[in-house]
Amino acid sequence: MTEEHALMNSIQAVLSMYCTMFRVNVGKGFTKDGRYFSTGVPVGFSDLFGFRNKDGKAVFIEVKTKTGRVSLQQKRFLEAMQSAGAIAGVCRSTEDALILIGAVRKHNS
């Protein structure tokens, strides 16, 4: 399991009491007769999506490690979701995720 996958699992677990979240899986491959196919969601779609339990507000989370980079497509997707009124952002820790959904306040250091 990669560091990002482990973080994604941790974020899903910690948010489970506040949100109903789903992990996005995508894939590419070839059929038995050699035809290429791609499954899943559009390029840039967030790693985790769902809704906040208390009000049903849509939530989109792009999970990145401390050094992971957000692609232009991911940035544009998050901006589009925010413009549509959803909670959307990049999370590099479980604390980031809790702050994003409004479950805790950001601590000033």
Side-chain angles (χ1 to χ4, degrees):
M1 180 182 308
T2 67
E3 182 181 353
E4 189 170 291
H5 286 136
L7 178 56
M8 204 177 310
N9 291 342
S10 295
I11 288 172
Q12 263 191 292
V14 85
L15 291 187
S16 66
M17 58 191 305
Y18 306 102
C19 296
T20 300
M21 300 298 294
F22 304 95
R23 182 173 167 183
V24 176
N25 290 307
V26 297
K28 298 176 183 177
F30 292 91
T31 61
K32 287 184 179 183
D33 63 357
R35 290 178 291 140
Y36 174 80
F37 70 92
S38 176
T39 64
V41 294
V43 175
F45 196 95
S46 295
D47 296 311
L48 299 173
F49 73 101
F51 59 91
R52 194 165 55 185
N53 295 336
K54 72 178 182 179
D55 58 9
K57 194 162 191 171
V59 177
F60 296 87
I61 298 176
E62 184 59 43
V63 178
K64 294 292 180 193
T65 63
K66 292 191 187 306
T67 58
R69 289 192 225 153
V70 180
S71 73
L72 180 58
Q73 294 94 338
Q74 291 166 334
K75 188 175 190 172
R76 285 181 178 161
F77 179 82
L78 292 171
E79 289 169 352
M81 294 304 99
Q82 290 167 347
S83 293
I87 298 166
V90 177
C91 294
R92 297 178 186 277
S93 68
T94 55
E95 183 181 16
D96 285 353
L98 289 166
I99 292 166
L100 179 69
I101 66 155
V104 298
R105 287 190 181 149
K106 185 174 183 172
H107 295 97
N108 292 329
S109 324

